């Protein structure tokens, strides 16, 4: 299959400057704080394995819009399947360096018109599209974190936030 990078935003009736105004109303700016990077202790971090990569790759949802890099999920899944050692080389470098690429933290904002179109932010549903490579690295890290939490004795039974199949209703 051939993949083209294209602007996948559905057409809206808003001009560019109106879209910018809606985005500013939906996402007000605030003072951006900076965090000092903690000193790193060179510890032996187990590298991601081919098995971990294949499992994470299988969790990538296909037929979804790509992020700012225009790489569709089908391409990333194919690369994981066909070239796992090359993909592991890249992802393990980020793990060793303790970094998450800045480009993978940037989202493409898409405004979806609701049933009652208008010019204010309440007439639109914002969708933020992230790069699939960032989602893949996040999935690998998530599985590692979950395993470490389980190995340490799991979370307390009273913990309901940020847990699967639990919510404040259950609390």
């Amino acid at each position: 299959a051939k993949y083209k990078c294209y602007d996948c935003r559905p057409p809206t009736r808003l001009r560019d400057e109106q879209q910018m105004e809606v985005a500013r109303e939906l996402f007000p700016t605030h003072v951006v704080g900076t965090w000092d990077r903690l000193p790193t202790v060179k510890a032996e971090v187990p590298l991601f394995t081919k098995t971990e990569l294949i499992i994470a790759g299988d969790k990538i949802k296909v037929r979804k819009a790509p992020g700012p890099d225009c790489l569709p999920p089908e391409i990333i899944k194919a690369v994981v399947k066909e070239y796992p050692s090359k993909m592991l080389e890249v992802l393990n470098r980020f793990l060793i360096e303790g970094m998450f690429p800045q480009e993978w933290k940037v989202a493409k904002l898409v405004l979806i018109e609701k049933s009652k179109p208008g010019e204010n932010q309440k007439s639109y549903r914002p969708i933020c599209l992230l790069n699939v490579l960032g989602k893949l690295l996040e999935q690998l890290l998530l599985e590692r974190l979950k395993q470490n939490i389980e190995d340490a004795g799991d979370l307390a039974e009273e913990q309901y936030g940020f847990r699967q199949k639990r919510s404040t209703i259950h609390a």
Side-chain angles (χ1 to χ4, degrees):
K2 291 185 179 182
Y3 296 95
K4 290 193 274 184
C5 183
Y6 58 93
D7 190 3
C8 54
R9 291 180 294 177
T12 66
R13 297 175 207 161
L14 299 178
R15 295 183 317 275
D16 286 347
E17 56 271 2
Q18 289 172 311
Q19 289 183 39
M20 291 298 293
E21 183 57 36
V22 169
R24 278 193 287 275
E25 290 176 27
L26 287 166
F27 301 99
T29 57
H30 60 281
V31 176
V32 177
T34 58
W35 294 65
D36 292 331
R37 191 168 183 158
L38 295 173
T40 55
V41 177
K42 290 290 180 187
E44 196 62 35
V45 177
L47 299 178
F48 295 126
T49 66
K50 184 177 177 182
T51 302
E52 288 176 301
L53 179 63
I54 299 300
I55 291 169
D58 286 343
K59 291 184 179 183
I60 293 174
K61 296 178 182 174
V62 295
R63 299 179 50 89
K64 299 290 182 184
D69 65 3
C70 292
L71 288 173
E74 293 83 358
I75 295 289
I76 304 305
K77 284 182 81 90
V79 172
V80 166
K81 186 176 181 180
E82 296 297 320
Y83 304 100
S85 59
K86 291 291 182 192
M87 187 64 80
L88 278 173
E89 189 178 316
V90 171
L91 296 171
N92 278 325
R93 176 60 45 204
F94 293 133
L95 179 67
I96 291 166
E97 297 296 323
M99 69 165 293
F100 194 95
Q102 193 66 35
E103 296 82 19
W104 294 354
K105 297 176 186 179
V106 176
K108 181 186 342 182
L109 175 64
V110 179
L111 299 175
I112 308 290
E113 279 187 293
K114 293 182 179 178
S115 58
K116 295 181 182 179
E119 290 188 15
N120 66 17
Q121 82 273 15
K122 293 180 181 163
S123 300
Y124 296 90
R125 182 167 58 106
I127 305 289
C128 293
L129 304 174
L130 296 169
N131 292 328
V132 181
L133 282 168
K135 292 179 183 182
L136 180 63
L137 181 56
E138 286 174 351
Q139 185 62 46
L140 286 164
L141 294 170
L142 174 64
E143 292 304 318
R144 283 280 179 91
L145 287 171
K146 287 185 347 189
Q147 187 61 52
N148 283 338
I149 289 169
E150 188 178 301
D151 291 349
D154 215 353
L155 298 173
E157 278 302 311
E158 296 81 13
Q159 172 80 33
Y160 284 90
F162 307 102
R163 293 187 76 177
Q164 288 185 335
K165 299 179 185 171
R166 290 189 182 204
S167 73
T168 54
I169 295 169
H170 297 103

